[in-house]
């Protein structure tokens, strides 16, 4: 309701500037009265919005199994790269080999697949915010990309794009569907998306002490968006228990140490 009201208000404001109308009818609407009829959206738990470490391990095992069954299929590699980099699904589909800068050990994320809904055709454009960003080319990522290139060379799929098969470049929705299928079985809290990998990586970076500006730069979000939609508590129950136990032990030890003041 709030979003719809905001869009309508913006349309009428533009109409005033264009001289089509004289006043904004949205100003006469009692929005709080309408909001009373709205149901509160159910907020998902952190474990529904992120990967736990056990879920990531289970997913990697599943991907390895699929690679053995279908050695010509590069979709498992696309999902694994999403876990390592937090790239958007359109950015995975639009990633090109010339975006891999091995000399400077970095990935230049500057392409993304878009869909023209009028013509139902795909095209390559810039990332969502229109900005190029840099992600470090770590050893495990470099090894993964090497495996992808070897597979595509072996089966004749190699194109200018990193993820290709017999039909050419692999589209974003194919990668998205593959992620959901691999996480729709027992052992996962709920089916996961490529965005789940983005939220998880950002949350883990912050938990490890990485500066917020660095996280935003690597994930490709503003600080506000990162804080509101991509930051979750990814610590395990055992980690929480260890911290709380350590804090409580200080309380009990201090209390025991102060019992020589004559109090019962």
């Amino acid at each position: 309701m709030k979003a719809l009201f905001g869009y309508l208000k913006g349309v009428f404001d533009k109409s005033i500037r264009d001289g089509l109308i004289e006043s904004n009818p949205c100003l006469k609407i009692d929005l709080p009265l309408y909001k009373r009829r709205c149901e509160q959206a159910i907020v998902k738990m952190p474990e529904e919005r992120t990967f736990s470490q056990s879920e990531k391990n289970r997913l990697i095992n599943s991907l390895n199994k699929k690679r053995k069954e279908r050695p010509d299929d590069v979709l498992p590699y696309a999902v694994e790269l999403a876990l390592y980099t937090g790239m958007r699904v359109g950015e995975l589909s639009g990633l090109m080999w010339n975006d891999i800068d091995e000399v400077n050990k970095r990935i230049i994320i500057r392409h993304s697949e878009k869909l023209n809904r009028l013509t139902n055709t795909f095209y390559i454009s810039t990332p969502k915010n229109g900005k190029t960003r840099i992600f470090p080319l770590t050893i495990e990522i470099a090894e993964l990309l090497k495996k992808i290139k070897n597979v595509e060379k072996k089966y004749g799929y190699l194109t200018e794009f990193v993820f290709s098969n017999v039909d050419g470049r692999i589209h974003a929705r194919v990668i998205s569907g593959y992620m959901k299928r691999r996480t729709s079985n027992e052992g996962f809290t709920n089916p996961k998306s490529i965005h789940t990998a983005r939220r998880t990586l950002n949350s883990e970076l912050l938990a490890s002490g990485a500066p917020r500006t660095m996280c935003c730069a690597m994930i490709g979000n503003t600080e506000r968006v990162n804080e509101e939609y991509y930051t979750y508590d990814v610590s395990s129950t055992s980690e929480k228990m260890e911290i709380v136990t350590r804090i409580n032990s200080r309380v009990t030890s201090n209390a025991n140490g102060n019992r020589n003041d004559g109090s019962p």
Side-chain angles (χ1 to χ4, degrees), residues 25-240:
C26 284
L27 299 179
K28 300 178 181 179
I29 295 176
D30 187 351
L31 182 59
L33 180 63
Y34 281 92
K35 285 172 60 178
R36 292 175 192 169
R37 297 288 184 177
C38 296
E39 294 182 0
Q40 179 65 40
I42 298 175
V43 179
K44 290 186 177 181
M45 299 292 288
E47 54 265 29
E48 297 179 272
R49 305 283 285 171
T50 60
F51 281 104
S52 66
Q53 188 57 54
S54 63
E55 286 179 324
K56 285 200 291 184
N57 294 340
R58 185 178 294 274
L59 177 57
I60 290 295
N61 290 336
S62 173
L63 297 177
N64 288 335
K65 181 181 178 181
K66 288 298 177 182
R67 279 190 274 255
K68 291 180 181 179
E69 295 174 355
R70 285 280 311 276
D72 62 320
D73 189 1
V74 297
L75 280 171
Y77 298 100
V79 169
E80 187 172 354
L81 187 62
L83 288 177
Y84 294 156
T85 64
M87 292 172 65
R88 297 180 178 93
V89 66
E91 294 166 350
L92 291 167
S93 178
L95 186 65
M96 305 177 74
W97 287 111
N98 61 15
D99 296 331
I100 312 303
D101 184 357
E102 296 182 357
V103 175
N104 296 301
K105 304 293 183 184
R106 62 182 188 172
I107 300 175
I108 306 171
I109 303 174
R110 54 190 169 191
H111 300 114
S112 182
E113 179 188 81
K114 303 290 173 61
L115 172 65
N116 185 326
R117 299 186 182 278
L118 295 177
T119 61
N120 198 33
T121 56
F122 297 97
Y123 63 98
I124 299 298
S125 183
T126 58
K128 185 176 181 179
N129 59 5
K131 297 180 180 179
T132 295
R133 69 181 190 277
I134 302 298
F135 197 92
L137 183 62
T138 61
I139 294 175
E140 66 275 6
I141 294 175
E143 285 296 319
L144 183 67
L145 290 168
K146 183 178 179 181
K147 291 177 183 177
I148 296 169
K149 182 170 283 189
N150 289 338
V151 168
E152 293 179 346
K153 281 183 177 179
K154 181 177 180 179
Y155 293 97
Y157 300 158
L158 191 63
T159 68
E160 61 183 326
F161 294 96
V162 171
F163 295 108
S164 300
N165 57 20
V166 66
D167 298 317
R169 180 173 62 81
I170 298 176
H171 295 302
R173 61 188 179 188
V174 177
I175 300 174
S176 293
Y178 192 83
M179 168 70 96
K180 290 183 179 179
R181 289 196 300 275
R182 295 278 66 79
T183 57
S184 295
N185 49 37
E186 186 178 353
F188 294 92
T189 306
N190 58 306
K192 308 293 185 179
S193 66
I194 295 295
H195 250 70
T196 305
R198 283 174 57 74
R199 289 188 289 265
T200 304
L201 179 61
N202 180 72
S203 299
E204 290 179 336
L205 286 170
L206 288 169
S208 68
R212 292 185 178 276
T213 51
M214 178 193 296
C215 297
C216 294
M218 287 197 292
I219 296 296
N221 289 329
T222 64
E223 289 194 32
R224 183 188 66 80
V225 169
N226 238 35
E227 180 67 27
E228 291 187 16
Y229 305 110
Y230 287 82
T231 302
Y232 292 85
D233 176 14
V234 291
S235 56
S236 64
T237 301
S238 60
E239 289 173 318
K240 293 183 178 75

